[in-house]
C-alpha cells in the first residue's frame, strides 16, 4: 500500500491546514496509507501526529512561534499588514518514524518556525520523492506570503517594500538566497492549486527545473452540499423574504489582503442603485472575532463570529443567495469552494486562483480587479438574475466535476506513482 506523509505547521488552523486534512481524507478514501504530522497541534484528533514529544517540546515550539512574531516587529514597517515569515527557527523531521517509513513526503504550509531552508534541504538524506503544495507565495519569495504588485521575487528579492531597512542585500534577499541554496540540494514536485500559482512558479528562476502539477484543493462534498434555500434560511434563523449576501471575516477598512474597503464601496453603490428595494437586502458575516473593529455596512448586517462546526457553516452557505469575497490576492480560497459546493454563487474580483473556480455569469460573477463599480455590478446582476435556481445548480456541478474528493485524490495519486516509477526524485 502506498504510504504518504503530509507535513504542515498546524492541524486545520487556516486554509492550508484544512486543505491538508481534506486531501488526507480523500486519499484514505482511495485506500492510500496517508498520515499527517504537524509542527504544532491545536486539536485532539488522535489520527494527526506531532513532532512534539511532551509538554516541554510543545511549549518550546509555541515560544518560537510567538517569539518570531515579536521579533518581526523590529524588521517590518509598522503599517505593514502583509504576512511575512522569517527563517530564524526550524526543526529536523527526518528521524520521525512515519517520515522514514513513507514512500512519499508531501509538504504543505511549513512556516512559523517549522521547516526553514536548512531543514528542507536535509530531507534529501532520506532519498524519497517529495511533493510540495504551494498554498501561498512564501515558498518562492524572500519572506512575504502575498505579493500584490511586487515583482522582486522574480529576481532575487531585496529592496523589500515591507522592511524598515530595505536594500539590495536586505533580509528578504538573504532569505531568498537561503531558499535557492536549499532548493538546489532538494528536488521536489510542486503542486500548484491554481493556474495563477502555476504561472507564478513557472516564471521564476528559483523554481527552475522543478516539475509542476496543477491540482486544486478538495473539500467534503457530503458536508458542503445544497439545501433548499427557504428551508436553510429557516434553520439558520434568517428571513426567508430577504436576499441574503454572505461574506467571510472582515477585519477593518484598513485591511489590505481581504479588500474590505472595496466591499464597503460597492455596497454603498448598490444601495444607491436599489433605492427603496435596498430594504430587501441583508448581509451576514462569519469569521469575525468581534464587532468592535468591523466597519459599518450600508445594509442590515449580522455577525456570526467564528464558526468551528462545518455543518453549521455549510448551512449558512446553503441559506445565502450569494457569497461575497472581495479578496485582492488568493491562491484557491476555500470559502469560494465551500460556497459553490453548497449551491451558492460567488461574487469576486478576477484575481489569483478564483477564476479557476468561478465561471463568469455561470456560477457567479468575476468583477474587474479593484473596481468597486464592477463588484457592485456583480451583486446587482445576481439580485436581478431571472434563473437563480439554475445558477445554484451550476455552482454545485462545478465542484462535483472538478474538485470532488475522488477527482482530486486520483490526480495526486497519479503524481505520486509517476514519481515512484521514476525511482524517486531525490535518489
Amino acid at each position: 500500500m502506498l504510504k504518504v506523509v503530509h507535513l504542515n505547521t498546524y492541524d486545520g488552523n487556516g486554509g492550508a491546514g484544512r486543505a491538508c486534512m481534506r486531501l488526507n481524507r480523500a486519499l484514505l478514501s482511495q485506500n492510500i496509507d496517508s498520515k499527517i504530522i504537524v509542527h504544532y497541534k491545536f486539536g485532539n484528533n488522535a489520527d494527526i501526529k506531532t513532532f512534539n514529544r511532551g509538554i516541554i517540546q510543545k511549549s518550546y515550539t509555541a515560544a518560537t512561534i510567538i517569539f518570531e512574531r515579536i521579533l518581526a516587529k523590529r524588521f517590518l514597517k509598522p503599517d505593514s499588514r502583509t504576512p511575512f515569515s522569517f527563517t530564524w527557527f526550524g526543526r529536523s523531521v527526518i528521524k520521525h518514524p512515519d517520515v522514514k517509513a513513507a514512500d512519499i513526503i508531501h509538504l504543505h504550509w511549513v512556516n512559523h518556525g517549522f521547516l526553514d531552508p536548512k531543514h528542507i534541504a536535509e530531507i534529501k538524506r532520506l532519498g524519497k520523492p517529495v511533493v510540495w503544495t504551494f498554498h501561498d507565495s512564501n515558498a518562492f519569495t524572500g519572506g512575504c506570503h502575498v505579493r500584490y504588485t511586487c515583482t522582486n521575487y522574480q529576481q532575487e528579492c531585496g529592496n523589500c517594500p515591507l522592511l524598515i531597512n530595505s536594500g539590495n542585500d536586505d533580509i528578504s534577499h538573504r532569505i531568498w538566497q537561503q531558499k535557492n541554496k536549499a532548493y538546489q540540494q532538494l528536488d521536489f514536485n510542486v503542486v500548484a492549486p491554481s493556474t495563477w500559482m502555476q504561472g507564478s512558479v513557472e516564471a521564476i528562476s528559483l523554481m527552475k527545473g522543478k516539475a509542476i502539477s496543477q491540482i486544486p484543493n478538495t473539500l467534503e462534498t457530503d458536508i458542503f452540499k445544497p439545501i433548499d434555500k427557504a428551508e436553510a434560511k429557516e434553520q439558520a434563523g434568517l428571513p426567508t423574504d430577504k436576499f441574503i449576501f454572505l461574506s467571510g471575516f472582515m477585519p477593518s477598512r484598513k485591511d489590505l489582503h481581504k479588500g474590505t474597503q472595496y466591499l464597503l464601496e460597492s455596497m454603498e453603490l448598490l444601495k444607491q442603485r436599489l433605492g427603496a428595494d435596498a430594504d430587501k437586502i441583508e448581509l451576514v458575516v462569519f469569521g469575525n472575532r468581534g464587532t468592535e473593529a468591523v466597519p459599518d455596512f450600508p445594509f442590515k448586517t449580522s455577525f456570526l463570529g467564528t464558526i468551528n462546526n462545518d455543518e453549521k457553516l455549510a448551512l449558512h452557505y446553503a441559506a445565502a443567495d450569494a457569497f461575497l469575497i472581495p479578496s485582492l490576492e488568493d491562491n484557491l480560497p476555500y470559502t469560494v469552494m465551500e460556497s459553490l459546493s453548497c449551491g451558492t454563487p460567488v461574487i469576486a474580483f478576477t484575481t489569483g486562483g478564483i477564476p479557476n473556480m468561478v465561471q463568469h455569469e455561470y456560477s457567479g460573477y468575476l468583477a474587474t480587479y479593484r473596481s468597486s463599480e464592477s463588484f457592485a455590478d456583480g451583486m446587482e446582476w445576481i439580485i436581478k438574475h431571472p434563473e437563480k435556481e439554475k445558477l445554484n445548480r451550476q455552482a454545485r456541478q462545478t465542484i462535483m466535476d472538478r474538485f470532488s474528493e475522488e477527482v482530486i485524490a486520483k490526480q495526486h495519486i497519479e503524481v505520486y506513482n509517476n514519481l515512484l516509477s521514476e525511482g524517486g526524485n531525490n535518489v
Side-chain angles (χ1 to χ4, degrees):
M1 180 182 291
L2 178 62
K3 295 182 178 180
V4 181
V5 63
H6 301 272
L7 306 184
N8 196 68
T9 301
Y10 304 116
D11 52 332
N13 184 36
R18 289 176 68 81
C20 177
M21 292 175 68
R22 285 166 163 170
L23 175 58
N24 184 63
R25 176 181 130 139
L27 291 171
L28 289 171
S29 72
Q30 297 299 310
N31 297 315
I32 301 298
D33 183 354
S34 183
K35 293 183 173 69
I36 299 174
I37 314 176
V38 298
H39 179 50
Y40 188 89
K41 184 175 177 180
F42 286 96
N44 299 313
N45 187 337
D47 293 331
I48 297 177
K49 300 184 179 182
T50 176
F51 291 97
N52 297 312
R53 286 187 291 240
I55 189 65
I56 294 176
Q57 286 191 7
K58 185 172 184 179
S59 298
Y60 174 78
T61 298
T64 59
I65 293 170
I66 295 169
F67 188 59
E68 179 183 311
R69 294 185 180 184
I70 295 172
L71 191 58
K73 294 179 180 179
R74 297 181 57 186
F75 296 89
L76 297 172
K77 292 179 179 177
D79 61 345
S80 174
R81 287 179 170 80
T82 301
F84 194 104
S85 288
F86 294 87
T87 55
W88 296 314
F89 305 102
R91 77 189 309 161
S92 177
V93 300
I94 62 174
K95 294 182 179 179
H96 193 285
D98 286 324
V99 176
K100 293 169 68 174
D103 299 308
I104 298 286
I105 298 172
H106 193 142
L107 309 182
H108 291 267
W109 199 88
V110 293
N111 302 103
H112 288 178
F114 185 18
L115 288 177
D116 60 326
K118 179 180 70 174
H119 289 105
I120 288 174
E122 184 185 48
I123 296 173
K124 178 180 175 62
R125 290 165 54 183
L126 295 176
K128 299 176 183 292
V130 177
V131 176
W132 192 352
T133 297
F134 287 179
H135 295 284
D136 61 27
S137 300
N138 178 266
F140 52 86
T141 72
C144 70
H145 292 260
V146 185
R147 295 169 278 139
Y148 297 115
T149 58
C150 181
T151 58
N152 294 356
Y153 72 96
Q154 294 178 353
Q155 288 76 48
E156 297 182 5
C157 278
N159 298 300
C160 179
L162 304 177
L163 297 174
I164 295 173
N165 297 314
S166 179
N168 291 334
D169 190 34
D170 61 19
I171 294 176
S172 73
H173 176 65
R174 295 196 290 274
I175 292 174
W176 191 99
Q177 288 182 314
Q178 291 171 15
K179 292 178 178 178
N180 187 45
K181 181 180 178 180
Y183 299 169
Q184 288 180 11
Q185 296 176 61
L186 177 73
D187 196 11
F188 51 85
N189 190 109
V190 176
V191 170
S194 66
T195 304
W196 167 77
M197 180 61 78
Q198 180 179 1
S200 299
V201 174
E202 290 174 340
I204 54 177
S205 60
L206 190 60
M207 292 295 150
K208 186 176 181 180
K210 304 298 185 193
I212 307 171
S213 306
Q214 203 263 294
I215 307 176
N217 298 325
T218 187
L219 80 168
E220 307 90 336
T221 54
D222 58 334
I223 296 175
F224 293 91
K225 59 186 178 182
I227 305 173
D228 176 76
K229 292 291 180 189
E231 180 182 336
K233 286 179 181 178
E234 284 188 2
Q235 290 183 32
L238 299 172
T240 57
D241 59 342
K242 298 289 183 71
F243 190 97
I244 303 295
F245 282 121
L246 180 69
S247 194
F249 175 43
M250 295 295 154
S252 70
R253 184 182 287 269
K254 294 181 180 180
D255 175 69
L256 296 178
H257 177 41
K258 299 301 181 184
T260 307
Q261 63 175 351
Y262 293 98
L263 181 62
L264 286 166
E265 292 170 3
S266 62
M267 295 199 100
E268 291 284 2
L269 291 170
L270 180 65
K271 185 174 183 179
Q272 294 172 18
R273 295 181 190 182
L274 294 178
D277 288 338
D279 290 338
K280 300 177 182 178
I281 307 298
E282 286 197 18
L283 174 67
V284 176
V285 179
F286 67 85
N288 52 294
R289 296 180 178 89
T291 58
E292 299 83 11
V294 297
D296 293 326
F297 290 98
F299 296 99
K300 180 183 177 182
T301 305
S302 301
F303 297 96
L304 303 177
T306 301
I307 301 177
N308 295 316
N309 180 285
D310 281 347
E311 285 78 7
K312 182 179 178 181
L313 181 58
L315 173 64
H316 282 84
Y317 278 122
D321 295 289
F323 182 75
L324 307 177
I325 175 169
S327 181
L328 301 181
E329 183 177 314
D330 254 315
N331 184 11
L332 206 72
Y334 258 127
T335 52
V336 172
M337 192 178 293
E338 289 165 351
S339 179
L340 294 174
S341 189
C342 291
T344 299
V346 173
I347 313 299
F349 284 127
T350 307
T351 184
I354 294 176
N356 281 99
M357 296 183 284
V358 179
Q359 294 172 262
H360 185 56
E361 296 189 352
Y362 177 82
S363 57
Y365 192 97
L366 293 173
T368 303
Y369 188 58
R370 290 181 181 266
S371 170
S372 300
E373 186 86 25
S374 180
F375 204 92
D377 290 343
M379 291 190 286
E380 187 175 15
W381 169 81
I382 201 161
I383 289 170
K384 297 180 178 179
H385 198 283
E387 297 182 281
K388 292 183 178 62
E389 289 188 8
K390 181 179 179 181
L391 287 179
N392 298 342
R393 290 194 301 271
Q394 290 170 172
R396 171 67 175 183
Q397 197 59 46
T398 296
I399 297 300
M400 297 307 295
D401 290 344
R402 298 163 54 198
F403 304 101
S404 69
E405 288 182 296
E406 180 179 0
V407 169
I408 301 307
K410 287 182 176 179
Q411 291 181 28
H412 279 88
I413 292 168
E414 182 178 2
V415 170
Y416 299 154
N417 285 333
N418 286 342
L419 289 173
L420 290 170
S421 67
E422 294 167 4
N425 58 356
N426 295 306
V427 179

